[in-house]
Amino acid sequence: MSLTSALSSAMSGIRAVSRGSEIVSGNIANANTPGYARRTLSISSDSTGPAIGVRVNGVVRHVDQQIINDRRLAAAETGYRNDTTTALTRIEDLIGTPDQIGSLAARVADFEQSLITASSRPDATERLTAVAFGAKDLAQSINAVAQGIQDTRSQADRSIDAQVTRLNDALKGVETLNAQIVSTNSSRVNASALEDQRQLLIDEISEMVPVRLVARDHGAVALYSTGGTVLLEGRAAELGFEPANTVTPYESIEDGTLSGLTINGVSINTSSTNGRLRGGTLIAQFQIRDEIAPNAQSQVDALARDLVERFEDSSVDPTLGVGDPGLFTDSGDPLDTASETGLANRLSLNALVDIDQGGESWRIRDGLGAAAPGDAGDASLLIALTDVLSTTRPQASGDFGPSSLSVEGIVASLSSQIGSDRLREDRQLSFASAQLNELTQLALADGVDTDAEIQALMVLEQAYAANARVLSTVDEMFDTLLRI
């Protein structure tokens, strides 16, 4: 080997070592950077010229795409289950359990106890007043549950709007990065940093809508939802949604009063079972707004209807005429079965006995339609009110099964249903979280190992020293030749 060949070989080695050191340093510095993939330098022997040296082929970005794809799907499932579990937990908390002060079951028990107490001393005004307040507390508790359910729907609607905006921005970002990566690769410049940014954006997209990634030419990618919808193929799809901000019990996606979802102006199915974007946090919010909360609302409305029907029966209170509202009313009106939707929000105590509205508590003892106070010692109506509260009867609405239920039984069934749904979702969440954790650990195992990188850096230092020694030796030999 000639001196010039040795010099050229050593110089190419130093250049490769310098580039390798830069990559290793970058790996160590970004070991905990989200989306960063470990890089290595690809080198080979260069014998194309008169001298043998080291050729730098490029930078290799190490990712296990299958693990990343599986992790994304697990993250979408975890986000979906987390959102539905949170919504069900909130509704469950609104209803409460019998041992909780202020729960629906506790309010029913308090009301029943106030009736029993008043029955023992029907002449005691304070006991009759306690019945009125107990009935009003029960009505207001049902109001609060219904309003909490609508607040959950409103929150879901706002979340959908925010996620659609994020999703559109992220898809546009991937489209832009695709173009930059193609351009960079065409110029034979390393595009790893751009690919890291794109991976982060796709991770964000997949949490909202689980996606499948398809590689395209020159480093570009296409994105499809697991339901088959094209989200990015060259150009990004545009999702559309019109927020309602405040959702009422009378609005639904079926009657068009609530917005659905569009892709490039075309409406798509947003159901949790066969929706084309199902599986992520976006459809979870649609499920909360359009399925979970409305189902809970219909059950609470059925409870309100049962209360109104029980106490406006003239066989219970003979002083009531046809069409007269009973102890519980629909905003002061008698029950209209055609307007059951939202009844839980409108449920109220009859103003005739509502102390806060100037009502008179003696009417609870003598009848809502009584012209004047009757026998102060007559507890027959109070006993009838107590009995009708605990009487079991088939339910005209709601989904409580074929069994006959008392008011307490309806509340218990409602609480049990919501609790069972929440428990089922919680189990699914635990499974999805465990799966996500395992896949995350697998992805991290393929990431940057700082110990291995330091070892690689030591090898590079040795290679640098060897090449530097060759340069020094060649320099000494040139000096010797020049002195001859």
Short mmCIF file of all heavy atoms in Angstrom, two decimals, residues 220-259:
data_model
loop_
_atom_site.label_atom_id
_atom_site.label_comp_id
_atom_site.label_asym_id
_atom_site.label_seq_id
_atom_site.Cartn_x
_atom_site.Cartn_y
_atom_site.Cartn_z
N ALA A 220 -42.62 7.68 2.41
CA ALA A 220 -43.94 8.19 2.77
C ALA A 220 -44.79 7.05 3.34
O ALA A 220 -44.48 5.87 3.19
CB ALA A 220 -44.63 8.80 1.56
N VAL A 221 -45.88 7.41 4.03
CA VAL A 221 -46.79 6.41 4.58
C VAL A 221 -48.23 6.83 4.29
O VAL A 221 -48.53 8.01 4.08
CB VAL A 221 -46.61 6.24 6.11
CG1 VAL A 221 -45.24 5.72 6.44
CG2 VAL A 221 -46.91 7.54 6.85
N ALA A 222 -49.12 5.84 4.27
CA ALA A 222 -50.56 6.07 4.19
C ALA A 222 -51.18 5.58 5.49
O ALA A 222 -50.64 4.68 6.15
CB ALA A 222 -51.16 5.34 3.00
N LEU A 223 -52.30 6.17 5.88
CA LEU A 223 -52.97 5.80 7.12
C LEU A 223 -54.42 5.43 6.84
O LEU A 223 -55.15 6.17 6.17
CB LEU A 223 -52.94 6.97 8.13
CG LEU A 223 -51.56 7.43 8.62
CD1 LEU A 223 -51.71 8.62 9.54
CD2 LEU A 223 -50.83 6.30 9.32
N TYR A 224 -54.82 4.27 7.37
CA TYR A 224 -56.19 3.80 7.27
C TYR A 224 -56.68 3.46 8.68
O TYR A 224 -55.92 2.92 9.49
CB TYR A 224 -56.28 2.54 6.41
CG TYR A 224 -55.97 2.76 4.94
CD1 TYR A 224 -54.65 2.84 4.50
CD2 TYR A 224 -56.99 2.91 4.02
CE1 TYR A 224 -54.36 3.05 3.15
CE2 TYR A 224 -56.71 3.11 2.67
CZ TYR A 224 -55.40 3.17 2.24
OH TYR A 224 -55.12 3.38 0.92
N SER A 225 -57.94 3.76 8.95
CA SER A 225 -58.51 3.32 10.23
C SER A 225 -58.67 1.81 10.19
O SER A 225 -58.75 1.21 9.11
CB SER A 225 -59.86 3.99 10.49
OG SER A 225 -60.86 3.41 9.66
N THR A 226 -58.72 1.19 11.36
CA THR A 226 -58.90 -0.26 11.41
C THR A 226 -60.27 -0.66 10.86
O THR A 226 -60.50 -1.83 10.53
CB THR A 226 -58.76 -0.78 12.85
OG1 THR A 226 -59.62 -0.03 13.71
CG2 THR A 226 -57.32 -0.63 13.33
N GLY A 227 -61.18 0.30 10.74
CA GLY A 227 -62.48 0.05 10.13
C GLY A 227 -62.49 0.24 8.63
O GLY A 227 -63.53 0.07 7.99
N GLY A 228 -61.33 0.61 8.05
CA GLY A 228 -61.21 0.70 6.60
C GLY A 228 -61.34 2.09 6.01
O GLY A 228 -61.32 2.24 4.78
N THR A 229 -61.44 3.11 6.83
CA THR A 229 -61.58 4.47 6.31
C THR A 229 -60.22 5.06 5.97
O THR A 229 -59.27 4.94 6.75
CB THR A 229 -62.27 5.37 7.35
OG1 THR A 229 -63.59 4.87 7.60
CG2 THR A 229 -62.37 6.80 6.86
N VAL A 230 -60.12 5.70 4.82
CA VAL A 230 -58.87 6.34 4.40
C VAL A 230 -58.71 7.66 5.16
O VAL A 230 -59.54 8.57 5.04
CB VAL A 230 -58.86 6.62 2.88
CG1 VAL A 230 -57.56 7.30 2.48
CG2 VAL A 230 -59.06 5.33 2.10
N LEU A 231 -57.66 7.75 5.95
CA LEU A 231 -57.37 8.98 6.67
C LEU A 231 -56.28 9.79 6.00
O LEU A 231 -56.25 11.02 6.08
CB LEU A 231 -56.96 8.65 8.12
CG LEU A 231 -58.03 7.99 8.99
CD1 LEU A 231 -57.46 7.63 10.36
CD2 LEU A 231 -59.24 8.89 9.15
N LEU A 232 -55.35 9.09 5.34
CA LEU A 232 -54.25 9.77 4.65
C LEU A 232 -53.75 8.87 3.53
O LEU A 232 -53.24 7.78 3.78
CB LEU A 232 -53.11 10.09 5.61
CG LEU A 232 -51.84 10.68 5.00
CD1 LEU A 232 -52.12 12.08 4.47
CD2 LEU A 232 -50.70 10.71 6.00
N GLU A 233 -53.93 9.32 2.32
CA GLU A 233 -53.39 8.64 1.15
C GLU A 233 -52.96 9.73 0.19
O GLU A 233 -53.72 10.20 -0.64
CB GLU A 233 -54.44 7.72 0.51
CG GLU A 233 -53.92 6.89 -0.67
CD GLU A 233 -52.83 5.91 -0.29
OE1 GLU A 233 -53.14 4.81 0.21
OE2 GLU A 233 -51.64 6.27 -0.48
N GLY A 234 -51.71 10.17 0.38
CA GLY A 234 -51.25 11.34 -0.36
C GLY A 234 -51.69 12.60 0.36
O GLY A 234 -50.89 13.33 0.92
N ARG A 235 -53.00 12.86 0.32
CA ARG A 235 -53.56 14.01 1.00
C ARG A 235 -54.33 13.55 2.23
O ARG A 235 -54.92 12.47 2.26
CB ARG A 235 -54.49 14.80 0.07
CG ARG A 235 -53.76 15.42 -1.11
CD ARG A 235 -54.71 16.25 -1.95
NE ARG A 235 -55.25 17.37 -1.19
CZ ARG A 235 -54.64 18.54 -1.03
NH1 ARG A 235 -53.44 18.73 -1.58
NH2 ARG A 235 -55.21 19.51 -0.36
N ALA A 236 -54.35 14.39 3.25
CA ALA A 236 -55.05 14.06 4.49
C ALA A 236 -56.55 14.25 4.32
O ALA A 236 -57.00 15.21 3.68
CB ALA A 236 -54.53 14.93 5.63
N ALA A 237 -57.32 13.33 4.90
CA ALA A 237 -58.77 13.50 4.94
C ALA A 237 -59.12 14.61 5.93
O ALA A 237 -58.36 14.90 6.86
CB ALA A 237 -59.43 12.20 5.35
N GLU A 238 -60.27 15.24 5.72
CA GLU A 238 -60.72 16.30 6.64
C GLU A 238 -61.98 15.86 7.34
O GLU A 238 -62.98 15.54 6.70
CB GLU A 238 -60.97 17.60 5.88
CG GLU A 238 -61.35 18.75 6.80
CD GLU A 238 -61.46 20.08 6.08
OE1 GLU A 238 -61.17 20.12 4.87
OE2 GLU A 238 -61.84 21.07 6.74
N LEU A 239 -61.95 15.84 8.66
CA LEU A 239 -63.10 15.45 9.45
C LEU A 239 -63.90 16.69 9.83
O LEU A 239 -63.33 17.76 10.09
CB LEU A 239 -62.67 14.72 10.72
CG LEU A 239 -62.26 13.24 10.57
CD1 LEU A 239 -60.89 13.13 9.90
CD2 LEU A 239 -62.26 12.53 11.90
N GLY A 240 -65.23 16.52 9.85
CA GLY A 240 -66.10 17.63 10.20
C GLY A 240 -67.02 17.30 11.35
O GLY A 240 -67.49 16.16 11.47
N PHE A 241 -67.27 18.30 12.21
CA PHE A 241 -68.17 18.12 13.36
C PHE A 241 -68.66 19.49 13.81
O PHE A 241 -67.91 20.46 13.82
CB PHE A 241 -67.42 17.43 14.51
CG PHE A 241 -68.24 17.28 15.76
CD1 PHE A 241 -69.20 16.29 15.85
CD2 PHE A 241 -68.05 18.13 16.85
CE1 PHE A 241 -69.96 16.14 17.00
CE2 PHE A 241 -68.81 17.99 18.00
CZ PHE A 241 -69.77 16.98 18.07
N GLU A 242 -69.97 19.56 14.15
CA GLU A 242 -70.55 20.80 14.65
C GLU A 242 -70.90 20.63 16.12
O GLU A 242 -71.82 19.90 16.47
CB GLU A 242 -71.81 21.15 13.85
CG GLU A 242 -71.56 21.48 12.40
CD GLU A 242 -70.75 22.75 12.23
OE1 GLU A 242 -70.84 23.64 13.10
OE2 GLU A 242 -70.02 22.84 11.23
N PRO A 243 -70.18 21.29 17.02
CA PRO A 243 -70.44 21.11 18.46
C PRO A 243 -71.76 21.73 18.88
O PRO A 243 -72.19 22.75 18.33
CB PRO A 243 -69.25 21.82 19.12
CG PRO A 243 -68.83 22.86 18.11
CD PRO A 243 -69.08 22.25 16.77
N ALA A 244 -72.38 21.12 19.89
CA ALA A 244 -73.62 21.66 20.44
C ALA A 244 -73.34 22.46 21.71
O ALA A 244 -74.17 23.25 22.14
CB ALA A 244 -74.59 20.53 20.75
N ASN A 245 -72.18 22.24 22.31
CA ASN A 245 -71.75 22.90 23.55
C ASN A 245 -72.57 22.45 24.76
O ASN A 245 -72.03 21.94 25.72
CB ASN A 245 -71.78 24.42 23.41
CG ASN A 245 -70.79 24.92 22.39
OD1 ASN A 245 -69.66 24.44 22.34
ND2 ASN A 245 -71.18 25.87 21.55
N THR A 246 -73.88 22.67 24.73
CA THR A 246 -74.74 22.20 25.82
C THR A 246 -75.75 21.21 25.26
O THR A 246 -76.52 21.55 24.37
CB THR A 246 -75.48 23.37 26.49
OG1 THR A 246 -74.52 24.29 27.03
CG2 THR A 246 -76.37 22.85 27.62
N VAL A 247 -75.74 20.00 25.78
CA VAL A 247 -76.62 18.94 25.29
C VAL A 247 -77.78 18.76 26.26
O VAL A 247 -77.57 18.70 27.48
CB VAL A 247 -75.86 17.61 25.14
CG1 VAL A 247 -76.79 16.52 24.60
CG2 VAL A 247 -74.67 17.78 24.21
N THR A 248 -79.00 18.70 25.74
CA THR A 248 -80.19 18.51 26.55
C THR A 248 -80.73 17.09 26.37
O THR A 248 -80.34 16.39 25.42
CB THR A 248 -81.29 19.52 26.16
OG1 THR A 248 -81.75 19.20 24.84
CG2 THR A 248 -80.73 20.95 26.17
N PRO A 249 -81.64 16.64 27.24
CA PRO A 249 -82.18 15.29 27.10
C PRO A 249 -82.97 15.08 25.82
O PRO A 249 -83.20 13.95 25.40
CB PRO A 249 -83.11 15.14 28.32
CG PRO A 249 -82.68 16.21 29.27
CD PRO A 249 -82.15 17.31 28.45
N TYR A 250 -83.37 16.20 25.18
CA TYR A 250 -84.26 16.11 24.02
C TYR A 250 -83.48 16.07 22.70
O TYR A 250 -84.08 16.03 21.63
CB TYR A 250 -85.22 17.31 24.02
CG TYR A 250 -85.73 17.62 25.40
CD1 TYR A 250 -85.25 18.72 26.11
CD2 TYR A 250 -86.65 16.79 26.03
CE1 TYR A 250 -85.68 18.99 27.40
CE2 TYR A 250 -87.09 17.05 27.32
CZ TYR A 250 -86.60 18.15 28.00
OH TYR A 250 -87.03 18.39 29.28
N GLU A 251 -82.16 16.08 22.78
CA GLU A 251 -81.34 16.08 21.56
C GLU A 251 -80.70 14.71 21.36
O GLU A 251 -80.28 14.06 22.32
CB GLU A 251 -80.25 17.15 21.67
CG GLU A 251 -80.78 18.57 21.73
CD GLU A 251 -79.68 19.59 21.92
OE1 GLU A 251 -78.94 19.47 22.91
OE2 GLU A 251 -79.55 20.50 21.08
N SER A 252 -80.60 14.31 20.11
CA SER A 252 -79.98 13.03 19.79
C SER A 252 -79.41 13.08 18.39
O SER A 252 -79.82 13.91 17.56
CB SER A 252 -80.98 11.88 19.90
OG SER A 252 -81.94 11.95 18.87
N ILE A 253 -78.48 12.18 18.11
CA ILE A 253 -77.90 12.12 16.78
C ILE A 253 -78.90 11.54 15.79
O ILE A 253 -78.85 11.84 14.58
CB ILE A 253 -76.59 11.29 16.81
CG1 ILE A 253 -75.81 11.46 15.51
CG2 ILE A 253 -76.88 9.82 17.09
CD1 ILE A 253 -74.43 10.85 15.56
N GLU A 254 -79.84 10.71 16.30
CA GLU A 254 -80.81 10.09 15.39
C GLU A 254 -81.76 11.11 14.77
O GLU A 254 -82.11 10.98 13.59
CB GLU A 254 -81.63 9.03 16.15
CG GLU A 254 -80.86 7.77 16.51
CD GLU A 254 -79.98 7.95 17.73
OE1 GLU A 254 -80.14 8.97 18.45
OE2 GLU A 254 -79.11 7.08 17.96
N ASP A 255 -82.20 12.11 15.55
CA ASP A 255 -83.14 13.08 14.99
C ASP A 255 -82.45 14.30 14.39
O ASP A 255 -83.09 15.27 13.99
CB ASP A 255 -84.16 13.52 16.06
CG ASP A 255 -83.51 14.24 17.24
OD1 ASP A 255 -82.34 14.63 17.15
OD2 ASP A 255 -84.19 14.39 18.28
N GLY A 256 -81.12 14.26 14.36
CA GLY A 256 -80.37 15.33 13.70
C GLY A 256 -80.13 16.56 14.54
O GLY A 256 -79.55 17.54 14.06
N THR A 257 -80.55 16.54 15.80
CA THR A 257 -80.32 17.71 16.65
C THR A 257 -78.90 17.73 17.22
O THR A 257 -78.48 18.76 17.76
CB THR A 257 -81.33 17.74 17.81
OG1 THR A 257 -81.32 16.46 18.47
CG2 THR A 257 -82.74 18.01 17.28
N LEU A 258 -78.19 16.61 17.13
CA LEU A 258 -76.77 16.56 17.50
C LEU A 258 -75.96 16.17 16.27
O LEU A 258 -76.40 15.34 15.46
CB LEU A 258 -76.52 15.56 18.63
CG LEU A 258 -77.05 15.94 20.01
CD1 LEU A 258 -76.74 14.83 21.01
CD2 LEU A 258 -76.45 17.25 20.50
N SER A 259 -74.79 16.73 16.16
CA SER A 259 -73.95 16.50 14.98
C SER A 259 -73.31 15.12 15.02
O SER A 259 -72.90 14.62 16.08
CB SER A 259 -72.85 17.57 14.91
OG SER A 259 -71.93 17.28 13.87
#
